Amino acid sequence: MKQTPIPTAPLRVDLRLIADMVTPGSRVLDIGCGDGDLLDCLWREKQVDGRGIEISQAGVNASVTRGLSVIQGNADTDLADFPAGIFDYAILSQTLQATYNPKRVLAELVRIGKRAIVSFPNFGHWRVRRHLLTHGRMPVTGALAHAWFDTPNIHLCTIADFVELCGELGIEIERGLALDLGGRPLPGISGTGWRANLFGEQGLFLLSKAG
């Protein structure tokens, strides 16, 4: 994959955590890759064979300008076209809640990837609960920055919901992290327990198909 050597901004903290989970030289599919920041980092630092899918044409154009192999596509409809196990990692960062069928998308991730890496905003965070309790209205927070009528997030979930769905689909959680708003891991908190569900503003998980 030919790259254009252009200056790059520091990688977002949560994307750096994702990059750290990827083995050098792997085959990677980044679904909802945006402008290609993560793919570019993985190519430069870990020499991955990277591909991307992005729904917005602007994101595709920006990625291709950087020399990345990115096509326009939709997680809900296009993952079924990939053969099983073709990638070492299928990555879905901050996109699961914007899909129409998260259950099917999650199942496709662990079918086409030997491992999947998924992150999402946690609707179970204590500030969200407090806002609903005290105001009785859908919250707007740093992690959920859109009003209810103007949000791309159509299937919000909690960390507990996600863990339960993984169990239902026979997906093994190899590693789970509860993150703060800035994408930093919360110290001393397991990524799958009640404390993660209460205090994590985001969840980040490394997954594989059980068995």
Side-chain angles (χ1 to χ4, degrees), residues 121-139:
N122 174 32
F123 201 69
H125 186 262
W126 66 267
R127 286 194 184 92
V128 175
R129 302 186 196 198
R130 183 182 67 179
H131 188 97
L132 285 169
L133 179 64
T134 57
H135 298 283
R137 299 172 59 189
M138 287 295 288

Side-chain angles (χ1 to χ4, degrees), residues 178-192:
L179 310 180
D180 65 15
L181 181 59
R184 295 173 292 269
L186 296 174
I189 296 182
S190 164
T192 58

